[in-house]
């Protein structure tokens, strides 16, 4: 049941998500990939911490489950944690959702540290794309098929995310669309919170492991942001059309919080600078990227554990 | 192979997989946009 709740939430998220900003600036897709760096860096950090404090005793699967906090995506974190570290589902979920709501506090200092004032003032052209209805209907179907070929384990989450989006774009099932984005999402979030909360027994929750997960979750979000910003700066070295590096930070999945923060910071530097739509494009790409990252981890980790000898 | 090496493999394969998937999605979006412009002419 724990695995079905995230899937239902994804129908709601899909119904809420508008992928048009991504169609207007398709290259934002790359930031959705770069901002997943924190996931993999955190897995290494967990394993490094294990070497320093062997009493923590994290296995590779548990390290992967903690790293996925960097997906900045509650449902994905729950799916991976429930398969790899059922006893850590409670702490991982609490930490993932806590840091998602703390994005406005975590991201700005990291962005400021990695960018200059001039870079934060870069303006970007936004061409309002006139996207046809059939394109928006074919998109969720095509993405589900492609995700099934590239990362089969992602089909549960990507498929339902795209099903929710299809309800939105089809335009002929308004009652289902409204139910998915309001009632379904709200009820399932409530039930999920209660179910996860019930797994947090005091003797398993009040431990040093929970504290370490709290610290590692912060590492994941910081390096997600850094990955996105530094990738944008790398692209700027080769590209004629400069990208405002802050947009890279919006590549995390926390939608729409991350894109709003980027816009607020851009406006603080230059009141005439509007990069909200580009940031929203990177943000929705991050939603796809985080699910793909989660499913790749689900697919590869058991194979690596076998290579390690069980 | 020790556990740190396994972690590095996971990082390399994971980032490669995410970038590859999103590049394919990018090409798909570009293709849809091109098709939609072609049909409107």
């Amino acid at each position: 049941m724990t695995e079905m709740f995230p899937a239902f939430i994804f129908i709601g998220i899909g119904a809420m998500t508008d992928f048009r900003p991504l169609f207007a600036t398709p290259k934002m897709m790359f930031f959705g990939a770069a901002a997943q760096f924190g996931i993999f860096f955190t897995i290494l950090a967990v394993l490094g911490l294990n070497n320093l404090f062997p009493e923590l005793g994290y296995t590779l699967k548990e390290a992967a489950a903690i790293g996925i906090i960097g997906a900045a995506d509650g449902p994905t974190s729950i799916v991976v944690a429930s398969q790899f570290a059922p006893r850590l589902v409670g702490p991982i979920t609490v930490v993932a959702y806590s840091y998602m709501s703390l994005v406005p506090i975590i991201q700005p200092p990291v962005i400021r540290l990695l960018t200059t004032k001039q870079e934060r003032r870069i303006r970007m052209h936004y061409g309002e794309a006139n996207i046809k209805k059939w394109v928006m209907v074919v998109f969720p179907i095509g993405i589900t098929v492609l995700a099934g070929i590239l990362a089969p384990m992602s089909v549960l989450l990507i498929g339902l995310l795209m099903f929710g989006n299809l309800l939105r774009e089809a335009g002929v099932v308004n009652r289902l669309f409204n139910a998915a984005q309001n009632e379904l999402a709200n009820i399932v979030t409530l039930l999920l919170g209660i179910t996860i909360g019930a797994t947090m027994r005091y003797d398993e929750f009040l431990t040093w492991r929970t504290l370490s997960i709290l610290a590692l979750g912060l590492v994941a979000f910081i390096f997600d942001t850094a990955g996105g910003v530094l990738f944008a700066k790398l692209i700027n070295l080769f590209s004629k059309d400069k990208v405002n590096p802050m947009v890279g930070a919006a590549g995390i999945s926390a939608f729409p919080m991350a894109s709003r923060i980027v816009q607020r910071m851009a406006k603080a530097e230059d009141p005439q600078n509007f990069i909200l739509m580009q940031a929203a494009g990177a943000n929705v790409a991050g939603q796809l990227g985080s699910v793909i990252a989660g499913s790749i981890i689900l697919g590869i980790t058991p194979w690596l554990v076998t290579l390690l000898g069980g | 192979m020790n556990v740190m090496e396994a972690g590095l493999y996971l990082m390399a394969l994971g980032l490669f997989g995410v970038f590859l998937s999103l590049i394919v999605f990018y090409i798909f979006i570009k293709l849809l946009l091109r098709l939609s412009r072609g049909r409107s002419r």
Side-chain angles (χ1 to χ4, degrees), chain A residues 41-54 63 216, chain B residues 3-4:
Chain A
F41 182 86
T42 307
I43 294 173
L44 282 182
V46 177
L47 298 174
L49 199 68
N50 234 5
N51 284 345
L52 285 175
F53 305 101
L216 289 159
Chain B
V3 75
M4 279 306 276

Side-chain angles (χ1 to χ4, degrees), chain A residues 190-247:
Chain A
L190 202 63
L191 292 175
L192 186 69
I194 293 166
T195 316
I196 299 285
T199 67
M200 290 192 281
R201 278 176 36 192
Y202 78 95
D203 54 338
E204 284 180 7
F205 190 75
L206 300 175
T207 62
W208 288 108
R209 278 185 143 204
T210 305
L211 271 183
S212 69
I213 293 170
L214 201 65
L216 289 159
L218 185 62
V219 170
F221 273 69
I222 289 172
F223 279 86
D224 273 345
T225 308
V229 171
L230 293 176
F231 188 74
K233 290 177 81 150
L234 182 72
I235 283 186
N236 278 349
L237 290 179
F238 305 102
S239 172
K240 268 185 188 172
D241 292 334
K242 300 291 180 208
V243 174
N244 190 318
M246 291 196 292
V247 166

